[in-house]
Amino acid sequence: MTRPGREAVHAVGHVDMVTVRRDSTAPTGETTVVRLLSLLPAHWTCNPCSVGPDRIALRIALNPAVDRQAVRRAVSSALADRALEGWAEER
């Protein structure tokens, strides 16, 4: 359902992003997932698929305004934040 005055944006798939803890002194995934989500655009649909102490998997919905490259850039930018030091994208 769309709110009045808003266009419906239909999903065109998703991208799964996985981040891993590279530094054992960094906060665990249970804390880090909250920080990571807060650094991504608020209008994105992001769902944690799994969260463990050393690994976080997020599923991010794609749509005509959000493509895979935009997601990768945003996640990379978020991981550069000092609050997420010790975490990196799994390659």
Side-chain angles (χ1 to χ4, degrees):
M1 183 166 175
T2 305
R3 285 187 243 157
R6 296 206 176 208
E7 264 183 62
V9 179
H10 300 287
V12 292
H14 66 270
V15 62
D16 291 329
M17 296 297 299
V18 177
T19 57
V20 292
R21 186 165 67 155
R22 301 276 190 219
D23 180 349
S24 63
T25 64
T28 63
E30 293 82 355
T31 302
T32 302
V33 70
V34 175
R35 291 178 177 157
L36 178 57
L37 288 170
S38 73
L39 292 169
L40 296 176
H43 63 280
W44 285 9
T45 302
C46 306
N47 296 307
C49 297
S50 67
V51 178
D54 300 318
R55 188 173 187 274
I56 299 168
L58 295 179
R59 177 161 285 176
I60 302 170
L62 301 174
N63 62 53
V66 179
D67 62 16
R68 290 178 189 278
Q69 290 176 338
V71 169
R72 292 199 185 283
R73 281 192 306 271
V75 171
S76 291
S77 178
L79 290 171
D81 188 277
R82 290 204 60 185
L84 298 178
E85 232 172 79
W87 284 82
E89 184 180 341
E90 184 176 74
R91 301 238 178 224

